[in-house]
Amino acid sequence: MTTATALSGVIPPVCTPLTPDFEVDRPSLIRLVDHLLAGGVDGLFLLGSTSEVAYLPDGHRRTVLDTVIGHVGGQVPVLAGVIDMTALRVLDHVRVAVQAGVAGIVATAPFYTRTHPAEIAVHFRTIAQHAGVPLYAYDLPVSVHSKLGAQLLLELAAEGVLAGLKDSSGDEGGFREVLLGRRARELDSFAVLTGSELTVDAALWMGADGVVPGLGNVDPHGYVRLFQAARDDDWTAARTEQERLFRLFGLVHVGGAHMGRSSSALGAFKAALHLCGIIDSPTTAIPQIALDDAEIAAVGRYLADAGLL
Amino acid sequence: MTTATALSGVIPPVCTPLTPDFEVDRPSLIRLVDHLLAGGVDGLFLLGSTSEVAYLPDGHRRTVLDTVIGHVGGQVPVLAGVIDMTALRVLDHVRVAVQAGVAGIVATAPFYTRTHPAEIAVHFRTIAQHAGVPLYAYDLPVSVHSKLGAQLLLELAAEGVLAGLKDSSGDEGGFREVLLGRRARELDSFAVLTGSELTVDAALWMGADGVVPGLGNVDPHGYVRLFQAARDDDWTAARTEQERLFRLFGLVHVGGAHMGRSSSALGAFKAALHLCGIIDSPTTAIPQIALDDAEIAAVGRYLADAGLL
Amino acid sequence: MTTATALSGVIPPVCTPLTPDFEVDRPSLIRLVDHLLAGGVDGLFLLGSTSEVAYLPDGHRRTVLDTVIGHVGGQVPVLAGVIDMTALRVLDHVRVAVQAGVAGIVATAPFYTRTHPAEIAVHFRTIAQHAGVPLYAYDLPVSVHSKLGAQLLLELAAEGVLAGLKDSSGDEGGFREVLLGRRARELDSFAVLTGSELTVDAALWMGADGVVPGLGNVDPHGYVRLFQAARDDDWTAARTEQERLFRLFGLVHVGGAHMGRSSSALGAFKAALHLCGIIDSPTTAIPQIALDDAEIAAVGRYLADAGLL
Amino acid sequence: MTTATALSGVIPPVCTPLTPDFEVDRPSLIRLVDHLLAGGVDGLFLLGSTSEVAYLPDGHRRTVLDTVIGHVGGQVPVLAGVIDMTALRVLDHVRVAVQAGVAGIVATAPFYTRTHPAEIAVHFRTIAQHAGVPLYAYDLPVSVHSKLGAQLLLELAAEGVLAGLKDSSGDEGGFREVLLGRRARELDSFAVLTGSELTVDAALWMGADGVVPGLGNVDPHGYVRLFQAARDDDWTAARTEQERLFRLFGLVHVGGAHMGRSSSALGAFKAALHLCGIIDSPTTAIPQIALDDAEIAAVGRYLADAGLL
């Protein structure tokens, strides 16, 4: 169930461009994918949180999978989120994703329910048993309100249930526990990716294999340069690049307090892609509040400061 | 979009009996519905949290709707949960539920995402606009991690977006704020139901229209007696009945700390229904830990103490 | 260690009037106590959350104790909060309170630390062992981030460690579990008081002995009428009074979102007492943001609507 | 109010050895300080969370200050926590600490109360105005349930209110925001220290000035080697040392789930110091559950594996 070598590099969670009436904008999605591939990314992660997966009905999810996988044609591995509350619902998404041709699937712990760690293990085992493609755990306590413990992850890795981890928990101590545990238990094919896009140099320094950066939609070249510098052992260059990206990341706050925190970040990524001419509309999914003109102008200033506009 | 008179009485959230291989057990479900109707309930709430809705794939949800609505044949109103992360996903469930013939739908605030109150309003407005049947808000912060504020609920009631509320927040002050605000704003057709099954006498005393008690699966007669006593202004009888049901409710804790809190409660309800001969198997959905024999025996003692076995 | 009969009735948590330079305003405090006694209250609770105990240095705490206990002269029992992080620190406050002549002390679970329930039990046992006066548990998860479980409370009551409970948890199911457990275990001298000032009729209906209402500073007569009506079994009158007090309670929100929630409520109580001529200054303790003139005027309108001005 | 050059290096939060009857064990405390000085630490932090400050009555706090400051005699700067709920209470501790001769004080955001960010600013400004020694902010949301935002910290640094930060929030993105903001605003004398003892190499790599490691009580030499390697730009050596310390840190979990998480960690640090012959008793403060013999033996194995026994 695991890949021979661990997944690695820059694997952005791909935004889902929408038309003004909230349909998937396929031409824009294809242009976005081309933009990412031109940036040199090592893989694509569809239908993650940054893709607004929680807002997309199943039909939209299918459209995204078919559009991207058909277009990419195997140039890079394409993973897909199969985000739903519990295992049997997840498996419905898995079937669609596998049929569409994904290289791997990404699942969170159960949510909405209050779930014991022993039940989280059953959840992942059930998914893996029926998936037929590598399964990656997505640690995202801010959304699912459970933290995946390092020992549980390593145990599931050793069992062959998990092919890897995308850690968006922000818990760097726990992340390092996974990395050191992987080394101690010689679980070399278990991929450890960080979703903490502001400390990627540190994560790679500790031994991570790659990064899944939301901001990578806007500036894939930056994250690819950062990863390459780290691979070349030029950590000072990696840090300088990360610090530049850190400043650019400030754009996620333009929406302020009159909308959800997700809405501000996702709205800013899409506004940036729209300003750069990559997608046709900055529309975010219902029921998110849209950025107003002044906020979009503020996004533009971040892009200009970063030399992206 | 609202009903002429507010929904009222005892409207249990119907458990979803499963076969040992996790399919919907339709004969058991029909027997459970008959048990509830024989108990004198005023309506049925399908696909709520107690129904394990978070664990059921869409196919199972459809089976539950078709089985129950066909069997009930209009004797009492049947509501259905349309539980999903955000409005467009919810609307996919709404279409299925409306086609199956529900009398109303029940939706929570968005979850998985971090949503601003202004966005929660858009969420409910979007659902109501397309539903075609009355929409009830389900306030369940323990699952969705947002609290529905009283003023927001009253505003949506005044707009005609919401036909009622099922309050499982446990916040009795906020609940009373809704009740007093409904009176002050003369929103008489807005139904206010409590899901706090241990303080139903108090909720009715404050002015609630009814209750959605999970324990009502096990002892519908008890909740119906409680409601009738309150309606007859015999509050002492209502309290005595509630206190008896309070003691019976202790069965939800038999599972202890080696499983999720939901699993213990849902497992106990199903074990009780199995011990009473109403459903064929106490199976709960994946990935919940099952009660063991000693725990099931403990459920039996609660039933015996309550004179139900 | 316990009293012969359980404490009961209306026992307001007494606000601590301050001078504009943040010293205890003793004349105002005495006038406030007289206002409460004239209202017919059954006891006084000094140095609780509503008294801004978390903001008062030890010297201020001592001044409050000496001022009030000397003035009351045994007309009603005077309890005092001994609020601090853990048992040994609490005991320093206990010594001062006992020397000042309190009739009982009120302590929370440990805070700042992350404490196991078994450790919470040791905490209360240690305090009780050295107190020499009855010890009341103060359940206030919003401040201490631990919930006192009903079974733990009943066990400590049975041991003679706790003389009673002030429940400000807002968990009415847990509150009723304490009340029914007290009856089942015949712990008659264990006093159960609610701090949920918006559902006092319901709490008394369930069997509570009394209430500790912050709003009772502003309108002690109202809470005394409510309690008397309940004692006289005139529950409709009790409810009507509670609903009037509910509307008055709206004044706690005048401060809106530009200050802490405590600051808005405490500022409104003090502004009301100042507008009524009972205390000289509406000053709240550092570092709370003060209400502005428009917000104080809004408090005045609540008082006028309630016939208190 | 700020120091000319920012505080830097390894500044362990000093454990407070206790006698079996819970008094401060001064001879053991002096031996512990000598052990830390012999390890080459750059400063000492008394009365922090690791010092069990939340458990120590004021008399104990005074004893600790007098014992250590007298013994150290200015060899290294000695900081002290002035941990209490709000500013006026904190200032009582400040007076004692300043009189004892501390080089700086360390204060958290308010706790027990629910405090608005604008009020947190007033809190720190009030303390700084009266302190007379440099004030360090202690960001510890796990204890005080507020997060100190980077922009607030930088503003207070620019005002001269704060001399530095001890960040134990675990939020590495926010930590880097402080570091980059310090550079951008040229606040060179503002010290930024991490309390995240498992990612010190990464924190130093990002630009932190030093570390306040609880585990530094047990192995000060290790943290000093780590800091020196970083200062010498030998990041590989720093990482290797950090990974060794990471494995040693596993001892904090020996207490498992039958005690508070703090109790397990603090008990393990003290058991280690006792096993190493540095302190006379592993006693932790009331009401913490003590480690049992098997758990203490497990601590010993960690020490042996680390070559410390």
Side-chain angles (χ1 to χ4, degrees):
Chain A
M1 202 67 79
T2 58
T3 50
T5 57
L7 195 68
S8 70
V10 177
I11 303 156
V14 184
C15 285
T16 306
L18 298 175
T19 64
D21 54 346
F22 305 108
E23 296 298 326
V24 177
D25 176 350
R26 298 183 57 177
S28 289
L29 178 54
I30 287 173
R31 282 199 301 276
L32 172 56
V33 165
D34 286 341
H35 164 66
L36 298 173
L37 294 175
V41 303
D42 302 283
L44 298 173
F45 172 34
L46 305 177
L47 303 179
S49 301
T50 300
S51 319
E52 298 174 271
V53 68
Y55 302 94
L56 303 180
D58 288 354
H60 285 46
R61 292 189 183 196
R62 245 180 240 112
T63 301
V64 168
L65 289 169
D66 291 342
T67 303
V68 175
I69 294 172
H71 182 72
V72 170
Q75 299 172 66
V76 296
V78 178
L79 308 182
V82 287
I83 308 302
D84 219 313
M85 294 173 246
T86 56
L88 295 190
R89 292 187 61 78
V90 167
L91 282 172
D92 278 353
H93 300 290
V94 170
R95 272 181 284 275
V96 172
V98 168
Q99 193 164 20
V102 296
I105 53 170
V106 185
T108 67
F111 51 95
Y112 187 91
T113 66
R114 287 173 286 173
T115 310
H116 190 277
E119 295 172 333
I120 295 176
V122 174
H123 169 83
F124 282 117
R125 286 190 193 110
T126 303
I127 298 170
Q129 190 182 343
H130 296 87
V133 294
L135 167 62
Y136 297 85
Y138 189 177
D139 193 19
L140 190 66
V142 73
S143 287
V144 306
H145 303 278
S146 290
K147 173 79 183 87
L148 297 177
Q151 295 312 314
L152 174 63
L153 289 166
L154 292 167
E155 181 53 35
L156 293 173
E159 289 179 22
V161 166
L162 294 179
L165 165 69
K166 185 211 161 179
D167 183 333
S168 295
S169 71
D171 172 3
E172 299 301 305
F175 186 68
R176 194 166 215 164
E177 189 178 351
V178 172
L179 288 167
L180 295 184
R182 171 174 72 162
R183 194 195 304 165
R185 299 173 69 161
E186 300 184 356
L187 298 164
D188 301 343
S189 69
F190 181 71
V192 182
L193 309 171
T194 182
S196 295
E197 54 206 317
L198 302 179
T199 52
V200 179
D201 52 341
L204 296 173
W205 171 254
M206 293 184 202
D209 301 298
V211 57
V212 184
L215 185 62
N217 282 278
V218 178
D219 192 0
H221 299 81
Y223 278 100
V224 169
R225 279 194 300 270
L226 162 48
F227 183 76
Q228 286 302 333
R231 178 154 289 178
D232 297 345
D233 232 24
D234 184 353
W235 294 97
T236 301
R239 182 172 58 188
T240 301
E241 189 65 43
Q242 175 66 85
E243 292 179 352
R244 192 186 65 78
L245 289 163
F246 197 109
R247 286 185 292 272
L248 175 58
F249 190 77
L251 55 77
V252 306
H253 302 301
V254 299
H258 72 106
M259 62 183 65
R261 286 181 59 187
S262 317
S263 310
S264 177
L266 298 175
F269 291 161
K270 285 187 156 181
L273 291 170
H274 179 59
L275 289 169
C276 292
I278 297 164
I279 69 176
D280 282 344
S281 165
T283 304
T284 50
I286 292 173
Q288 295 172 89
I289 304 286
L291 297 182
D292 63 27
D293 289 349
E295 291 159 351
I296 289 177
V299 169
R301 285 192 295 276
Y302 275 99
L303 295 175
D305 288 351
L308 295 173
L309 207 65
Chain B
M1 202 68 76
T2 58
T3 52
T5 57
L7 194 68
S8 71
V10 177
I11 303 156
V14 184
C15 285
T16 306
L18 298 175
T19 64
D21 55 347
F22 305 108
E23 297 297 325
V24 177
D25 176 351
R26 297 182 58 176
S28 288
L29 178 54
I30 287 173
R31 282 198 302 276
L32 172 56
V33 166
D34 286 341
H35 163 67
L36 298 173
L37 294 175
V41 303
D42 302 284
L44 297 173
F45 172 34
L46 305 178
L47 302 179
S49 302
T50 300
S51 318
E52 298 174 272
V53 68
Y55 301 94
L56 303 180
D58 288 354
H60 286 46
R61 292 188 183 197
R62 245 180 241 114
T63 302
V64 168
L65 290 168
D66 291 342
T67 303
V68 175
I69 294 172
H71 183 72
V72 169
Q75 300 172 65
V76 296
V78 179
L79 308 182
V82 286
I83 308 303
D84 217 315
M85 295 173 245
T86 56
L88 296 189
R89 293 188 60 79
V90 167
L91 282 172
D92 278 353
H93 300 290
V94 170
R95 274 181 283 276
V96 172
V98 168
Q99 194 164 17
V102 296
I105 53 171
V106 185
T108 66
F111 51 94
Y112 188 91
T113 67
R114 287 171 287 173
T115 309
H116 190 276
E119 296 171 334
I120 295 177
V122 173
H123 168 84
F124 283 117
R125 285 189 192 110
T126 303
I127 298 169
Q129 191 182 343
H130 296 88
V133 294
L135 168 61
Y136 297 84
Y138 189 177
D139 193 19
L140 189 67
V142 73
S143 287
V144 306
H145 303 277
S146 290
K147 173 79 183 85
L148 298 176
Q151 296 311 313
L152 175 63
L153 290 166
L154 292 166
E155 182 53 35
L156 293 173
E159 289 179 21
V161 166
L162 294 180
L165 165 69
K166 185 212 161 178
D167 184 334
S168 295
S169 71
D171 172 3
E172 299 300 306
F175 187 68
R176 195 165 215 166
E177 189 178 351
V178 172
L179 289 167
L180 295 184
R182 171 173 73 158
R183 193 195 304 166
R185 299 174 71 161
E186 300 185 355
L187 299 165
D188 300 343
S189 68
F190 181 70
V192 182
L193 309 171
T194 183
S196 295
E197 54 206 317
L198 302 179
T199 52
V200 179
D201 51 342
L204 296 173
W205 170 254
M206 292 184 203
D209 301 299
V211 58
V212 184
L215 185 63
N217 283 278
V218 178
D219 191 0
H221 298 82
Y223 278 100
V224 169
R225 279 194 300 269
L226 162 49
F227 183 75
Q228 286 302 334
R231 178 155 288 179
D232 298 343
D233 233 22
D234 184 353
W235 293 97
T236 301
R239 183 173 57 190
T240 301
E241 189 65 42
Q242 175 66 86
E243 292 178 351
R244 191 186 65 78
L245 289 163
F246 197 109
R247 286 185 291 272
L248 175 59
F249 190 77
L251 56 76
V252 305
H253 302 300
V254 299
H258 72 106
M259 62 183 65
R261 287 182 58 187
S262 319
S263 310
S264 178
L266 298 175
F269 291 162
K270 286 188 153 179
L273 292 169
H274 180 59
L275 290 169
C276 292
I278 296 164
I279 69 174
D280 282 344
S281 164
T283 304
T284 51
I286 291 173
Q288 295 172 89
I289 305 287
L291 297 182
D292 63 26
D293 289 349
E295 291 159 349
I296 289 177
V299 170
R301 286 191 294 276
Y302 275 99
L303 295 176
D305 288 350
L308 295 172
L309 207 64
Chain C
M1 200 69 76
T2 59
T3 52
T5 58
L7 194 69
S8 70
V10 177
I11 302 156
V14 184
C15 285
T16 306
L18 297 176
T19 63
D21 55 346
F22 306 108
E23 296 297 326
V24 177
D25 176 351
R26 298 182 57 177
S28 289
L29 179 54
I30 287 173
R31 282 199 302 276
L32 173 56
V33 165
D34 286 341
H35 165 65
L36 298 173
L37 294 175
V41 303
D42 301 283
L44 297 172
F45 172 35
L46 305 177
L47 303 179
S49 301
T50 301
S51 319
E52 298 173 270
V53 68
Y55 302 94
L56 303 180
D58 288 353
H60 286 46
R61 293 189 183 197
R62 247 181 239 113
T63 301
V64 168
L65 290 168
D66 291 342
T67 302
V68 174
I69 294 172
H71 182 72
V72 170
Q75 300 172 66
V76 296
V78 178
L79 309 183
V82 286
I83 308 302
D84 218 313
M85 294 172 245
T86 55
L88 296 190
R89 292 189 60 78
V90 167
L91 283 172
D92 279 353
H93 300 290
V94 169
R95 272 182 284 276
V96 171
V98 168
Q99 194 165 17
V102 297
I105 52 170
V106 185
T108 67
F111 51 95
Y112 187 91
T113 66
R114 288 172 286 174
T115 310
H116 189 277
E119 296 171 333
I120 294 176
V122 174
H123 169 83
F124 282 118
R125 285 190 193 112
T126 302
I127 298 169
Q129 191 182 343
H130 295 87
V133 294
L135 168 62
Y136 297 83
Y138 189 176
D139 193 19
L140 189 67
V142 73
S143 287
V144 306
H145 303 277
S146 290
K147 173 81 183 83
L148 298 176
Q151 295 312 314
L152 175 63
L153 289 166
L154 293 167
E155 182 53 34
L156 293 173
E159 289 179 21
V161 166
L162 293 179
L165 165 70
K166 185 212 162 180
D167 183 334
S168 295
S169 71
D171 172 3
E172 300 300 306
F175 187 68
R176 195 166 214 164
E177 189 178 351
V178 172
L179 288 167
L180 296 184
R182 171 173 73 159
R183 193 194 304 165
R185 298 174 70 161
E186 301 185 354
L187 298 165
D188 300 343
S189 69
F190 181 71
V192 182
L193 308 172
T194 182
S196 295
E197 54 205 319
L198 302 179
T199 52
V200 179
D201 53 341
L204 296 172
W205 170 254
M206 292 184 203
D209 301 298
V211 57
V212 184
L215 186 62
N217 282 278
V218 179
D219 192 0
H221 299 81
Y223 278 100
V224 169
R225 280 194 299 270
L226 163 48
F227 183 75
Q228 285 302 334
R231 177 154 288 179
D232 297 344
D233 232 23
D234 184 352
W235 293 97
T236 302
R239 183 173 57 189
T240 301
E241 189 65 43
Q242 175 67 86
E243 292 179 351
R244 191 186 65 77
L245 289 163
F246 197 109
R247 286 186 291 272
L248 176 58
F249 190 77
L251 55 77
V252 307
H253 302 301
V254 300
H258 72 105
M259 62 183 65
R261 288 181 58 187
S262 318
S263 311
S264 178
L266 298 176
F269 291 162
K270 286 188 154 181
L273 291 170
H274 180 59
L275 290 169
C276 292
I278 296 163
I279 69 174
D280 282 344
S281 164
T283 304
T284 51
I286 292 172
Q288 296 173 88
I289 305 286
L291 297 182
D292 63 27
D293 289 349
E295 291 159 351
I296 289 177
V299 169
R301 286 192 295 277
Y302 275 100
L303 295 176
D305 288 351
L308 295 173
L309 206 66
Chain D
M1 200 70 76
T2 58
T3 50
T5 57
L7 194 69
S8 70
V10 177
I11 303 156
V14 184
C15 285
T16 306
L18 298 175
T19 64
D21 55 346
F22 305 108
E23 296 297 327
V24 177
D25 177 351
R26 297 183 58 177
S28 289
L29 178 54
I30 287 172
R31 282 199 301 276
L32 173 55
V33 166
D34 286 342
H35 164 65
L36 298 173
L37 294 175
V41 302
D42 302 283
L44 297 173
F45 172 35
L46 305 177
L47 303 178
S49 301
T50 301
S51 319
E52 297 174 272
V53 68
Y55 302 95
L56 302 180
D58 288 354
H60 285 45
R61 292 189 183 196
R62 245 180 240 114
T63 301
V64 168
L65 289 169
D66 291 342
T67 303
V68 175
I69 294 173
H71 183 72
V72 170
Q75 299 172 67
V76 297
V78 178
L79 308 182
V82 287
I83 308 302
D84 218 313
M85 296 172 245
T86 55
L88 296 189
R89 293 188 60 78
V90 167
L91 282 172
D92 279 353
H93 300 290
V94 169
R95 273 182 284 274
V96 172
V98 168
Q99 195 165 17
V102 296
I105 53 170
V106 185
T108 67
F111 51 95
Y112 187 91
T113 67
R114 287 171 287 174
T115 309
H116 189 277
E119 295 171 333
I120 295 177
V122 174
H123 168 84
F124 281 118
R125 286 189 193 110
T126 302
I127 298 170
Q129 191 181 344
H130 295 87
V133 295
L135 168 61
Y136 297 84
Y138 189 176
D139 194 18
L140 189 67
V142 73
S143 287
V144 306
H145 303 276
S146 290
K147 173 80 183 85
L148 297 177
Q151 295 312 314
L152 174 63
L153 289 166
L154 293 167
E155 181 54 35
L156 293 173
E159 290 179 21
V161 165
L162 294 180
L165 165 70
K166 185 211 161 179
D167 183 333
S168 294
S169 71
D171 172 2
E172 300 300 305
F175 187 68
R176 194 165 214 166
E177 189 178 351
V178 172
L179 289 167
L180 296 183
R182 171 173 73 159
R183 192 194 305 165
R185 298 173 71 162
E186 300 185 355
L187 299 164
D188 300 342
S189 68
F190 182 71
V192 182
L193 308 172
T194 182
S196 295
E197 55 207 316
L198 302 179
T199 52
V200 179
D201 53 341
L204 296 172
W205 171 253
M206 292 184 203
D209 301 298
V211 58
V212 184
L215 186 62
N217 282 277
V218 178
D219 192 1
H221 299 82
Y223 279 100
V224 168
R225 279 194 299 269
L226 161 48
F227 183 76
Q228 286 302 335
R231 178 154 286 178
D232 298 345
D233 233 24
D234 185 352
W235 293 97
T236 302
R239 183 172 58 189
T240 302
E241 189 65 43
Q242 175 66 84
E243 292 179 350
R244 192 186 63 80
L245 289 163
F246 197 110
R247 286 185 291 272
L248 175 59
F249 189 77
L251 55 77
V252 307
H253 302 301
V254 299
H258 72 107
M259 62 184 66
R261 286 180 59 188
S262 318
S263 311
S264 178
L266 298 176
F269 291 162
K270 285 188 155 180
L273 291 170
H274 180 59
L275 290 169
C276 291
I278 296 164
I279 69 175
D280 282 344
S281 165
T283 304
T284 51
I286 291 173
Q288 294 173 88
I289 304 286
L291 297 182
D292 63 25
D293 289 350
E295 291 159 349
I296 289 177
V299 170
R301 285 192 295 276
Y302 275 100
L303 295 175
D305 288 351
L308 294 173
L309 207 64

